[in-house]
């Protein structure tokens, strides 16, 4: 199963208006008791509108550097650092994927050092920002790996509905749908991702190897009807009738 790709392409990430998600706003949301609550001494902040800000940079510098993200430290230490990051930024896409990979590598549902199980971290992210399509993609991908196909497709379908033409989301949806065996939806999202400029060929190559790739149908171009120029033919006298105009199709 190909790893979900989460790349930091600023033009492709859906970044909403700046500002943090305040604690009272999710007071009505519920989490399972074992998943704790979303209150935190630092944050919690929406990852999407924190990219490039000091509040995110400082956490990533001290708790989610390249060694942590790529699981190059002792598992207990890695789990603790990712856990800290996800308490401050519950929908931190890359940290969620690192936590999923850590659990997969260790074959555990709650990695050493983590405050909660992987399922809890995904649930917390979704409760925190229910409209974040990438969270639903990651959640669906995780459920697929757990053999929960029906629940995974439900998450992917919700992501499909909530995404707003984001190349990153579309590409990852395509990968997840491919792994779920829904090649039609995989192809549809691949077309969208590449139309929006996603550069990596992995999804297209997977579909080609499976014999499921089809080029996107050409876009319908509306032909404009040219208005011929009036011939310079002298007339005996000017007319007060307005000249005929050929309407251009909408």
């Amino acid at each position: 199963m190909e790893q979900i790709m989460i790349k930091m392409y600023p033009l492709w990430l859906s970044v909403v208006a700046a500002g943090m998600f305040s604690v009272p706003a999710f007071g009505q949301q519920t989490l399972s008791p074992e998943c704790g609550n979303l209150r935190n001494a630092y944050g919690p902040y929406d990852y999407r509108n924190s990219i490039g800000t000091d509040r995110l940079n400082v956490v990533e510098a001290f708790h989610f550097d390249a060694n942590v993200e790529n699981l190059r430290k002792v598992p207990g230490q890695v789990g603790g650092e990712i856990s800290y990051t996800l308490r401050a930024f519950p929908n931190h896409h890359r940290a969620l994927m690192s936590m999923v990979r850590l659990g997969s590598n260790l074959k555990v549902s709650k990695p050493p050092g983590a405050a909660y199980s992987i399922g809890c971290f995904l649930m917390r992210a979704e409760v925190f920002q229910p409209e974040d399509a990438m969270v639903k993609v990651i959640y669906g991908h995780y459920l697929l790996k757990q053999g929960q196909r029906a629940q995974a497709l439900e998450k992917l379908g919700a992501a499909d509905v909530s995404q707003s033409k984001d190349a990153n989301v579309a590409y990852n949806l395509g990968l997840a749908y491919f792994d779920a065996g829904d090649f039609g939806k995989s192809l549809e999202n691949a077309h969208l991702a590449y139309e929006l400029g996603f550069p990596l060929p992995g999804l297209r190559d997977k579909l080609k190897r499976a014999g499921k790739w089809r080029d996107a149908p050409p876009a319908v171009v509306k032909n404009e009807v040219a208005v011929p120029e009036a011939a310079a033919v002298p007339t005996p006298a000017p007319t007060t009738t307005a000249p005929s105009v050929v309407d251009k199709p909408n």
Side-chain angles (χ1 to χ4, degrees), residues 17-180:
M20 76 175 186
F21 192 89
S22 62
V23 170
F26 49 71
Q28 302 300 318
Q29 307 273 10
T30 58
L31 284 167
S32 301
E34 65 270 19
C35 296
N37 62 65
L38 291 166
R39 291 174 177 81
N40 197 52
Y42 186 79
Y45 300 107
D46 184 346
Y47 171 68
R48 296 165 301 168
N49 60 33
S50 298
I51 296 169
T53 66
D54 288 343
R55 64 173 178 252
L56 176 62
N57 292 342
V58 69
V59 169
E60 291 189 339
F62 289 97
H63 300 282
F64 194 68
D65 60 15
N67 287 325
V68 173
E69 182 171 5
N70 294 297
L71 314 181
R72 292 196 291 255
K73 290 186 176 181
V74 176
Q77 183 180 359
V78 170
E81 300 288 20
I82 300 173
S83 185
Y84 180 95
T85 304
L86 289 173
R87 290 200 307 274
F89 299 89
N91 62 328
H92 193 302
H93 304 152
R94 290 157 41 229
L96 286 169
M97 276 306 304
S98 291
M99 186 64 83
V100 169
R101 287 190 291 111
L102 180 60
S104 177
N105 290 351
L106 300 176
K107 296 180 172 55
V108 296
S109 61
K110 183 182 177 184
Y116 307 105
S117 68
I118 297 167
C120 276
F121 278 116
L122 292 165
M123 186 182 299
R124 288 164 58 87
E126 189 172 42
V127 167
F128 180 60
Q129 293 295 333
E131 84 293 348
D132 188 336
M134 183 59 78
V135 166
K136 297 182 190 301
V137 174
I138 298 168
Y139 207 158
H141 177 257
Y142 172 73
L143 291 170
L144 275 177
K145 295 181 73 173
Q146 300 305 304
Q148 301 177 48
R149 187 176 185 276
Q151 296 92 323
L153 289 175
E154 182 179 343
K155 295 295 182 188
L156 297 178
D160 222 346
V161 169
S162 61
Q163 74 151 313
S164 55
K165 290 195 172 182
D166 183 303
N168 212 31
V169 172
Y171 184 87
N172 288 299
L173 264 174
L175 288 174
Y177 273 126
F178 184 95
D179 290 336

Side-chain angles (χ1 to χ4, degrees), residues 235-244:
T235 56
T239 178
T240 58
T241 305
S244 173

Side-chain angles (χ1 to χ4, degrees), residues 1 4 18-19 49 68 96-97 155 188 192 199 208 233:
M1 183 180 294
I4 280 187
N49 60 33
V68 173
L96 286 169
M97 276 306 304
K155 295 295 182 188
E188 178 183 324
L192 177 58
K208 283 183 176 179
V233 177

